Amino acid sequence: PAIAAGENKLTFTAGAQEGTVTVEFNNSHAQDPHDLWLRKGGTTYSFDVVEKAEKATRSFALSAGTWTRWCNIGDHRQRGMVATVTVG
């Protein structure tokens, strides 16, 4: 995958280039379930909840610019599960 998301980290294995990218959400080392949201302007993509010890993969069409990613479960975002991703 071009982007791999795990608990509190986002790893770029092939660079984040504009266009369709595959995101692997790896929650295998987490203590809790998590979801993953990506937003830039009026465009939002998300994963459903991924249980602990599980993985999920989706493809998204990302445009160039700065995207915000976060976990939307409970107070996870307020506790720091938020970051930006620069594409392009």
Side-chain angles (χ1 to χ4, degrees), residues 39-59:
R39 177 176 295 151
K40 179 180 151 248
T43 303
T44 302
Y45 297 113
S46 65
F47 279 87
D48 292 331
V49 173
V50 177
E51 297 298 327
K52 59 184 179 178
E54 298 292 327
K55 295 180 185 180
T57 302
R58 291 203 48 206
S59 293

Side-chain angles (χ1 to χ4, degrees), residues 10 14 27 29-31 36-37 39 41 44-45 47 49 74-75 82 84:
L10 198 60
N27 206 30
H29 299 290
Q31 297 177 12
L36 177 68
W37 291 69
R39 177 176 295 151
T44 302
Y45 297 113
F47 279 87
V49 173
D75 65 348
V82 61
T84 58

Side-chain angles (χ1 to χ4, degrees), residues 11-27:
T11 305
F12 298 88
T13 56
Q17 299 299 316
E18 185 173 12
T20 301
V21 297
T22 301
V23 179
E24 179 184 83
F25 184 13
N26 182 349
N27 206 30

